[in-house]
Amino acid sequence: MSSIRGIACALLAGMLAFVAVAQARQLTGQDYARAVRFLPQDADPLVDHDVQRVAWLDATHFWYIDHDASGDRVLEMDAATGKVAPAFDQARLAAALGNARGKPVDALRWPRRFDVRALPGGDLDVQLGGKWYRCDLSGAGECTRRDKLLKTGKEPGALSPNGRLLAFVRDWNLWVRDLATGNETQLTTDGVKDYGYATQNAGWIHGDGAVVRWSPDSTRIATYRQDQRKVGEMYTVDTRVGHPKLSAWKYPLPGDKHVFMIEPVVIDVATGKLVRLKMEPEQRLSSLCDQLACDERQPYTWSDVKWAPDSRTFALVSTSRDRQHEWFRVADARTGGVRTAFESSTGQYYESGHGRVNWQYLPEAGQAIWPSEQTDWANLYLYDLKTGKELHPVTTGTGAVDEVLYLDRATRTLWFVATGRTPGMNPYYRQLFKVDIDTGKTVLLTPEDADHTITMSPDGKYFVDAYSTPTAPPVTVLRDARDGHVIATVAVADISRLKAAGWVPPIPFTVKARDGKTTLYGMMFKPTNFDPAKKYPIVDYVYPGPQTGSVRGRSFLAARGDNQALAELGFIVVAIDGMGTPWRSRSFHHYWYGDMGDDTLPDQVAGIRELATRYKWIDLDRVGIWGHSGGGNATADAMFRYPDFFKVGWAESGNHDNRDYENDWGEKYQGLLVTNKDGTTNYDNQANEDIAKNLKGHLMLVHGQIDDNVPTSNTYLVVDALIKANKDFDMMILPNEHHGYGKDTPYVMRRRWDYFVRYLAGNTPPHQYMIPSPKTGD
């Protein structure tokens, strides 16, 4: 009887294997070509009148690009009247730029890396392809590379408020360049290698830029001298015929005795007089991010320094190495005197905002506005600078104050972007509010149930609001900042061409977190030829945070990476913002502080299981996962920690052990490195190499050979552990690529598609399909 049962089982297994083989299919180039249509390079141009980026020229004029099937129009709106006119003669500018660059510029196709600034006298400064040009459109029209016009150096730097001077670093010293004449003045002379002024180096980011804070009257510069002489080094070696190039730079790791130290100074630009602040050297840390210039809208600006309007004093915030203690200090620019007005301590780590530093300096009133999560939500509080005492809350209630956009000192009114403050609305949708600093009276200025992208005018009287959802394209309007009323409609996006090309919107969803109580928000992507009668493998795109999440924002995007493109190849693709990611409460964001090996993975597993219960067409036996950087770390972690759940993983450029990554990151989210007597450490719980022996499925490890953000050694640690455990795995090292894959991005994407098609779906990909490289327009 047992033998008969055995034969029957064998026949059944054979039949199931036959069915599996019969269901497997050969994908074609046409299948991949259809997927390519859903990539940003193909999908984005099909959205007409999508105006989510504007740039203010002055207090009442801003320019923007309005795009449709006929091309791009660069327009300028007068906020006072609502009238629109061409910002400049596009054909003439394109011709002049083409002559200056030695290659044609399409007047109707302006790239995303395009910027234009009006100068006194009518000239334009234009950024194209990463280069700046000075353009005179009078007469025949002529553009000249700005660095050639100046006949001086090409160093990047920080522009003064009056637009006349550029502060930059050369040979470890700070200089200023007069943009009108090209004349240069050396402000410091004692800077030497690894002990210089305004040094941009933060380990994971390093370059020639200057980090400074100009005074409002453009007469003084607050900066620092950075001591990195004893800091350990990081290395990369490139690939070439002949001797390779070794690159070395300072890069501290968690637990290192020597880290970047800065000595704050103030420099009078006219006289060159340097005043050292009367304070001990402090660590090069920010109250917001892991570099000093945190705001991408103000590159090269020291974010934790804010001047008084009269340019006589400034406030600066200092941060402890464990990120749990802050000092609010006030400095006299003439004498260098410094006093600590108040201190703030918090468990785990402190952040002064999300997107920009939110604290404010009100010297005329002897006050400061200080962000705090003391109620579990990010709110603002008014402090007395004489007593150091908290006076009262400026904002209250649930929801997070993310970004302070404008402070009107005369009316003591503050405008801020917040999430989660409107009941019943998606808690990730951003809205703009204004609040009276003294009374706390708060007014909502953007009531639409949508995510709002706000760009305020320099004087805070107007703002441009582009509001949308993941499924509804943006409406862009000009609003009055006093009450939010709409002055003019800038553009209403049209996705008719996008829909005609087969686009379908992603599907927002909610699931419960690991605790069975907390609501998580995610996005699902199904193939456009979806058949509910089929069973689909599922791929989880993951980024664990803590500084951002997996979903990639809640505004409208024609394409969110390659999520929809991958879905077209026969997958359900999901992205879930698990616990530990931002824009929610402090307890949500800090959930796995000190246990970075968590990586939101319990929430990813719980969410996918719930979706599979809800939708029978999800095949829970075929779950894949992939991510880049922190997502690469989480992917390998998932394959090792949940080897019976995740069957296929694609891990790109992962920081697999934060002891091998820059110290700011690990020490902020994992804590200071502690080594116990038995040799174990508090970082062991996040080291992927320690659990690599658990691998069961298919894992691809990818890394750029000269990654100067996450050192390639992070991946080699995992590789070494897998070899020692006798595990099969795949690896791809990209010669001469950094943290982003640049020219190799299409190749890596195609290989990733192939990997999931072959190992998760059980199908055969087309042979060496070539994904076209995006056209940059540069």
Side-chain angles (χ1 to χ4, degrees), residues 68-98:
D68 61 20
S70 64
D72 299 334
R73 293 180 304 283
V74 186
L75 303 175
E76 180 180 321
M77 176 175 278
D78 185 330
T81 64
K83 293 183 178 179
V84 178
F88 47 77
D89 187 323
Q90 289 181 216
R92 181 174 293 181
L93 179 61
L97 285 168

Side-chain angles (χ1 to χ4, degrees), residues 451-485:
D451 186 59
H452 296 258
T453 300
I454 307 297
T455 311
M456 292 202 73
S457 64
D459 62 359
K461 292 183 179 180
Y462 305 99
F463 65 93
V464 177
D465 173 19
Y467 61 90
S468 64
T469 72
T471 59
V475 174
T476 305
V477 295
L478 172 68
R479 304 184 105 133
D480 190 309
R482 292 171 298 178
D483 56 14
H485 82 265

Side-chain angles (χ1 to χ4, degrees), residues 509 511-514 520-521 538-545 549-550 574-579 581 598-611 620 623 625 634 638 642 645-646:
F509 65 82
V511 291
K512 294 301 180 183
R514 67 190 78 183
L520 303 177
Y521 291 75
I538 185 169
V539 176
D540 185 18
Y541 169 73
V542 65
Y543 192 90
S550 302
V574 295
I576 302 171
D577 280 345
M579 298 177 79
T581 54
D598 180 289
D599 273 329
T600 81
L601 294 176
D603 298 320
Q604 306 297 321
V605 172
I608 292 171
R609 288 190 184 279
E610 183 176 336
L611 290 173
L620 204 56
V623 181
I625 185 169
Y642 298 92
F645 186 80
F646 293 103

Side-chain angles (χ1 to χ4, degrees), residues 219-231:
T219 64
R220 293 186 175 99
I221 295 174
T223 187
Y224 51 85
R225 190 178 187 185
Q226 178 162 311
D227 190 351
Q228 56 187 40
R229 290 172 291 183
K230 296 182 180 180
V231 175

